[in-house]
Amino acid sequence: MASIVDVARLAGVSPATASRVLSGSTHAVSQVTRSRVEAAAAELDFVPNALARGLLKSRAPIVGVIVHDITDPYFSEIVRGIEDEAEASGYLVITSSSDRIPAREESYVRLLRGMRATAVLFAGSGIRNAEFEERIGRHLVAMERYGAAVVHLSPSARGPALVGVDNVAAMAEVVRALVALGHRRIGYVGGPEWLYVAADRERGYRSALAEAGIGIDPGLVVTASFDQDGGADGAERLLRADPRLTAIACANDLQALGALDRFAQLGVSVPDDVSVTGFDDIPGASRTSPSLSTVHLPLRELGRSGFLQAEKILAGRRPHRRLLAHEIVLRRSTSKPRRAARVAVDVPAALVAS
């Protein structure tokens, strides 16, 4: 592979002059010399060492994105939005999945700090762990000191998301929609208690029930992992605990998809027996059977806006917190309680067996 020395030799200039031309330096170089260097670089197919150039400027042209699980459509859509903007600005996006393991997330941030990444965006919720927050906070402060931008797209111990959605209000709205349909026994499958976003969404569920004058039954609230297995198990636990419930609100779409699958296996009809809602409106949510009622979030816009906030910080401008709009989308997985006259939904033997 050609080096800057090779380019300089072919152009008949010094390596320093060739470097000034190809690095975009403002140092005065005649147009004739500049054209010779650029022609030599094109002929040799010279590719500048972007990492080395970045280190000279104190930052490498790298944007790190920390997600919980890149296979989750929620995160992959956000990352696509970040990539759309970052690529146009000449940055390489490196995405890392932490699997919600604090030590792994800290390791990724430490590596990005060592590479002197230009920005780090946290697409996943902050982890509620004081010791972890203190450790990772030290790395982020060091990154900010050398001029990097740090942006959160979900709530964390460092404060509200710089760009995000109102998880409390959105969950409250979807529960209000269930109440408006006539549901009173509404179960809730929440996310891991140690995630800030899970706490926010459960708060929305509780506030909507309180507003409607519906007492909160502790037996109708379960926590589960933010995936299909978690949703399937959580939904089954709820129906076993109270066969009279007529609706289940899930903290994200993957959980809701798991609930739909489990109910189909058990012969529980959705929405005839139980209505089910999700949260996020991931790709494919409208194509499930039945199609999923959920909270629509502009996921790609969330990613794009997050990167633009990082650019504001890098330009020395003060970013302003931005809340993106959400929308309640009612599809075929919800309806009015169709068997309200019955004392309870017939629960398959698999659910009532001890």
Side-chain angles (χ1 to χ4, degrees), residues 127-145:
I127 298 172
R128 301 172 73 185
N129 180 308
E131 181 182 350
F132 160 71
E133 291 285 1
E134 181 181 355
R135 290 199 311 269
I136 202 169
R138 289 199 293 268
H139 292 298
L140 297 179
V141 167
M143 293 181 74
E144 290 171 332
R145 282 176 180 161

Side-chain angles (χ1 to χ4, degrees), residues 1 22 30 37-38 42 50 57 77 109 130 140 161 188 191 202 244 271-272 275 280 283 299 311 314 327 332:
M1 185 169 67
L22 298 177
S30 73
V37 170
E38 290 172 346
K57 297 179 180 179
E77 282 292 293
V109 173
L140 297 179
Y188 182 71
E202 182 174 330
R244 298 172 301 161
D272 289 349
S275 288
D280 296 331
L299 298 176
E311 284 200 314
L314 295 171
E327 179 184 359
R332 297 179 66 85

Side-chain angles (χ1 to χ4, degrees), residues 4-5 7-9 11-38:
I4 193 71
V5 173
V7 173
R9 185 180 299 117
V13 299
S14 69
T17 297
S19 178
R20 291 188 188 107
V21 171
L22 298 177
S23 67
S25 169
T26 58
H27 192 281
V29 177
S30 73
Q31 186 56 50
V32 171
T33 299
R34 184 177 298 277
S35 297
R36 260 199 342 263
V37 170
E38 290 172 346

Side-chain angles (χ1 to χ4, degrees), residues 68 72 74-75 78 100 122-129 133 152-157 159-161 163-172 188-206 223-226 250-253 255 279-280 295 297 299 302 321 323:
H68 290 319
D72 183 334
Y74 171 88
F75 292 115
I78 291 174
R100 302 183 177 91
F122 292 88
S125 172
I127 298 172
R128 301 172 73 185
N129 180 308
E133 291 285 1
H152 292 270
L153 305 181
S154 196
S156 74
V163 180
V165 297
D166 192 333
N167 287 288
V168 178
M171 181 58 77
Y188 182 71
V189 180
E193 296 175 326
W194 36 270
L195 292 178
Y196 286 96
V197 69
D200 282 354
R201 293 183 183 180
E202 182 174 330
R203 190 154 58 247
Y205 162 80
R206 291 177 177 274
T223 59
S225 55
F226 262 150
C250 296
N252 77 357
D253 283 349
Q255 290 180 329
F279 195 114
D280 296 331
V295 179
L297 302 183
L299 298 176
L302 185 60
R321 185 180 179 222
L323 278 180

